[in-house]
Amino acid sequence: MEAFLTSPLGVLIITVAQTLAILVPLLIAVAYMTYAERKIMAAMQMRVGPNMVGPLGLLQPFADAAKMLLKETIIPAGANRALFIVGPVLTFILAMIAWAVIPVNEGWAIADINVGVLYLLAISSLGVYGIVIAGWASNSKYAFLGALRSAAQMVSYEVSMGLVIVTVLLCVGSLNLTQIVLAQKTVWFFIPLFPMFVIFFISTLAETNRPPFDLAEGESELVAGFMVEYSSMTYALFFLGEYANMFLMSAMTSLLFLGGWLPPMDIAPFNWVPGPLWFILKICLVMFTFVWVRATFPRYRYDQLMRLGWKVFLPFSLGWLILTAFVLKVMGWLPA
Amino acid sequence: MIAALAFYVFAAILIASAAMVVTSRNPVHSVLFLILAFFNAAALFLIAGAEFLAMILVIVYVGAVAVLFLFIVMMLDIDFTQLREGFQRYAPVGAVIGGILFLELLFVFGSWQFAPEATALRINPMPADPTLTNTEALGRLLYTDYILLFQIAGLILLVAMIGAIVLTLRDKQPNSRRQDIAVQVARAEAVNLTSVPPRTGLGVLGIQRRKLPEPPKPKSLGHAGHGHGHDEDGHHGGGHH
């Protein structure tokens, strides 16, 4: 048995099983996130929300999925056919492969690589391509404007996100995600680095094109932005990718600032709960905040969005980075 | 075996996509092939064990530089017939220039010699301590042995950045209206959040009518313009109408 598991075939089977073990729950979570989002927003706006399909509307996501699957895929005549398909596929794939390095518990990652944070940053910075390619290949004004907005927006917010991550890395001394979580055993980083936590969260909103930064799709001006020409499964792939990206960003926030799988305090009632459950709870908390923000805030104007990214977040996070380095050096807290 | 196979696959895709960057007609396709080439280069770095370099290549070149590239190229309005027009006329000139450059490169590489001192000075690329990770090994080399060169490179980039900003920065247009968010927020009377007690006992309130300003009366039409401004009281409930 041992020999089989270390043979190439055995390794392949184990990897596939691990991949399914993370992707299947992720996709189910994505399906129910759409339901949860509609229900939460309904509650915040004193409506009922979906309640017709199944008990309490619980089968609504499956009804939506079936509808998406059965509709006809329309490719516009003027579109670049190959790239038109590549756009949504790329978005979906990128949202999935990033999960390879997320540790759910100590040692529970498909690939526990040394440069885990850089991998996540690289994958999330690629997300813009799906949108830009879709916008260009659609050969439509609205889609193109949406793609241009999205490209500028994502590049802007990545800069401050990178600086926030560097600040966390300074406190850890490693790029490994497991090490980052273990470094938070004494105190979760959102307490000493609270302003960075806020900036990171807002940047993740911009990075995932969520309200109040959903200018790429802004339905009142651009109809649906880069998604105008998409229908059925191609649209569903964008949808799945966007929600999986939200989960990914929530997982990143939990890992970097909320102590990953660690319980709030390492004492009796808390450490009975297994680590992965804590991790899932934290992801759900951040996801709830995503929805809460959507139900609360009006959309930003585009120049205000750019101003916030470049003139507020970037100088502030740069300053805080220098301050953190200074404090760590003076107090002698720099990790070896 | 698998690593060797992967190497050949990635190398082949890299070369093929690099060729497509030069040959494809549509510049957007060129940029997309360039991105594919970057990706495969990153994969080759990974196979060589240089994980940090691979990730930085993807983050910097694919995630930032190529996005801006694509951003510009996408907006070009290209007429393909016009693009092909002068091809036969300019092809010989281009071929001659290309040939000369190629010959020059051949001469340079044919007579390339490292000074023996430089060869000796080249530091072994593998870290001295095999337990170090990529990132740590690179960091130690960069921030201890080559800190001066590193800082100079940073300064040069800073100068280039400031230069680009100075070249493109225009003076404020006298007529442009800029938003000053601080002033806007500090304006007390513009946005006021007050708690208004809901009126009770009136049932459902109707549409609120605001008193509209009297429209300027044209002199020729003395009696026109009486359509508005009848409501002296702005708070008619729906029940009263």
Side-chain angles (χ1 to χ4, degrees):
Chain A
M1 193 62 198
E2 193 69 27
F4 174 71
L5 287 181
T6 50
S7 72
L9 185 69
V11 170
L12 185 73
I13 291 173
I14 289 176
T15 313
V16 169
Q18 283 175 330
T19 313
L20 287 179
I22 201 150
L23 288 192
V24 172
L26 174 68
L27 287 175
I28 294 174
V30 165
Y32 273 97
M33 189 58 216
T34 63
Y35 172 78
E37 179 171 34
R38 289 163 74 178
K39 273 289 189 192
I40 294 169
M41 290 209 1
M44 285 176 179
Q45 296 162 351
M46 299 212 284
R47 293 183 285 115
V48 181
N51 65 342
M52 285 300 166
V53 190
L56 297 170
L58 274 172
L59 294 179
Q60 182 71 42
F62 297 103
D64 289 341
K67 189 185 84 176
M68 294 278 191
L69 273 170
L70 295 176
K71 293 261 179 179
E72 181 191 355
T73 305
I74 299 167
I75 299 180
N80 186 321
R81 289 184 74 90
L83 288 180
F84 189 79
I85 303 290
V86 166
V89 171
L90 193 66
T91 306
F92 181 71
I93 291 178
L94 287 174
M96 296 289 123
I97 61 173
W99 285 87
V101 295
I102 300 282
V104 184
N105 199 352
E106 192 163 356
W108 284 26
I110 297 176
D112 194 15
I113 57 176
N114 283 328
V115 288
V117 175
L118 285 182
Y119 176 81
L120 281 182
L121 201 63
I123 297 296
S124 74
S125 71
L126 295 181
V128 66
Y129 281 109
I131 292 170
V132 168
I133 290 174
W136 183 78
S138 297
N139 205 359
S140 146
K141 289 186 192 70
Y142 292 123
F144 188 63
L145 283 173
L148 285 185
R149 282 182 171 192
S150 170
Q153 174 182 336
M154 289 174 108
V155 171
S156 310
Y157 278 83
E158 229 147 63
V159 184
S160 53
M161 238 172 104
L163 284 174
V164 172
I165 291 176
V166 171
T167 315
V168 172
L169 295 181
L170 267 184
C171 304
V172 180
S174 167
L175 293 166
N176 184 303
L177 285 165
T178 308
Q179 295 299 322
I180 290 175
V181 173
L182 290 180
Q184 303 180 52
K185 273 212 161 131
T186 42
V187 59
W188 295 358
F189 283 146
F190 86 98
I191 296 172
L193 300 174
F194 188 72
M196 292 284 103
F197 173 60
V198 175
I199 288 184
F200 188 79
F201 178 71
I202 298 176
S203 299
T204 57
L205 287 178
E207 191 75 6
T208 47
N209 281 320
R210 288 284 296 176
F213 305 113
D214 57 340
L215 288 132
E217 36 193 291
E219 70 274 353
S220 52
E221 346 155 17
L222 292 178
V223 195
F226 61 92
M227 291 195 270
V228 169
E229 307 290 343
Y230 283 90
S231 56
S232 82
M233 220 35 222
T234 48
Y235 173 77
L237 283 180
F238 268 129
F239 204 74
L240 289 173
E242 185 188 326
Y243 277 76
N245 258 330
M246 279 161 64
F247 272 106
L248 178 69
M249 289 296 167
S250 307
M252 245 171 115
T253 314
S254 323
L255 288 173
L256 291 176
F257 289 102
L258 301 176
W261 61 82
L262 298 174
M265 274 171 283
D266 201 10
I267 50 170
F270 294 116
N271 56 18
W272 289 344
V273 180
L277 207 60
W278 278 119
F279 189 50
I280 292 170
L281 273 178
K282 286 167 190 172
I283 291 181
C284 289
L285 182 74
V286 183
M287 288 301 284
F288 175 78
T289 323
F290 266 77
V291 179
W292 188 10
V293 167
R294 178 175 176 188
T296 311
F297 288 104
R299 184 177 297 137
Y300 258 62
R301 211 173 62 199
Y302 197 70
D303 62 316
Q304 291 172 333
L305 170 95
M306 283 298 170
R307 176 185 170 275
L308 185 70
W310 288 106
K311 292 188 178 172
V312 180
F313 282 179
L314 182 61
F316 188 82
S317 50
L318 196 60
W320 195 273
L321 171 67
I322 294 169
L323 181 74
T324 310
F326 178 75
V327 169
L328 288 177
K329 182 74 189 166
V330 167
M331 304 301 283
W333 292 338
L334 271 178
Chain B
M1 201 269 291
I2 293 176
L5 195 70
F7 171 80
Y8 285 116
V9 169
F10 287 129
I13 299 177
L14 173 59
I15 292 172
S17 54
M20 288 302 288
V21 173
V22 189
T23 53
S24 53
R25 279 272 152 71
N26 193 329
V28 173
H29 292 173
S30 283
V31 176
L32 291 177
F33 277 116
L34 182 67
I35 292 161
L36 188 63
F38 281 144
F39 252 113
N40 286 287
L44 290 184
F45 271 135
L46 272 187
I47 290 175
E51 47 193 21
F52 183 77
L53 283 182
M55 292 305 152
I56 289 297
L57 182 75
V58 172
I59 292 175
V60 173
Y61 282 94
V62 183
V65 174
V67 172
L68 298 180
F69 234 58
L70 194 62
F71 198 88
I72 303 301
V73 168
M74 268 195 328
M75 286 194 278
L76 297 177
D77 185 21
I78 296 157
D79 187 359
F80 287 103
T81 51
Q82 201 186 351
L83 206 64
R84 253 169 263 161
E85 226 169 40
F87 182 75
Q88 292 192 332
R89 225 173 85 211
Y90 298 121
V93 185
V96 168
I97 294 176
I100 290 173
L101 281 178
F102 183 68
L103 280 179
E104 280 179 352
L105 278 180
L106 275 189
F107 287 139
V108 167
F109 279 110
S111 58
W112 189 277
Q113 275 178 339
F114 278 108
E117 297 90 352
T119 323
L121 273 177
R122 278 197 299 175
I123 290 177
N124 189 358
M126 300 309 283
D129 182 359
T131 56
L132 280 182
T133 65
N134 254 272
T135 321
E136 277 178 304
L138 270 176
R140 287 192 185 178
L141 209 62
L142 215 54
Y143 290 103
T144 49
D145 296 349
Y146 295 110
I147 181 68
L148 185 64
L149 294 175
F150 184 76
Q151 292 287 346
I152 291 173
L155 274 179
I156 292 173
L157 286 176
L158 182 69
V159 169
M161 188 175 84
I162 293 174
I165 294 174
V166 167
L167 283 177
T168 53
L169 190 70
R170 285 187 213 141
D171 289 333
K172 278 184 188 174
Q173 304 287 321
N175 294 329
S176 77
R177 288 156 58 87
R178 277 162 191 276
Q179 183 181 31
D180 192 339
I181 291 185
V183 169
Q184 212 172 324
V185 171
R187 214 159 47 181
E189 73 278 8
V191 183
N192 265 337
L193 266 183
T194 48
S195 169
V196 183
R199 292 199 286 176
T200 52
L202 277 175
V204 179
L205 287 179
I207 298 163
Q208 279 196 338
R209 278 216 185 155
R210 199 153 46 88
K211 192 184 171 189
L212 289 170
E214 197 84 10
K217 286 176 190 168
K219 276 171 188 168
S220 57
L221 299 167
H223 294 286
H226 266 282
H228 304 288
H230 282 305
D231 294 321
E232 293 301 315
D233 177 16
H235 291 281
H236 278 301
H240 297 290
H241 278 280

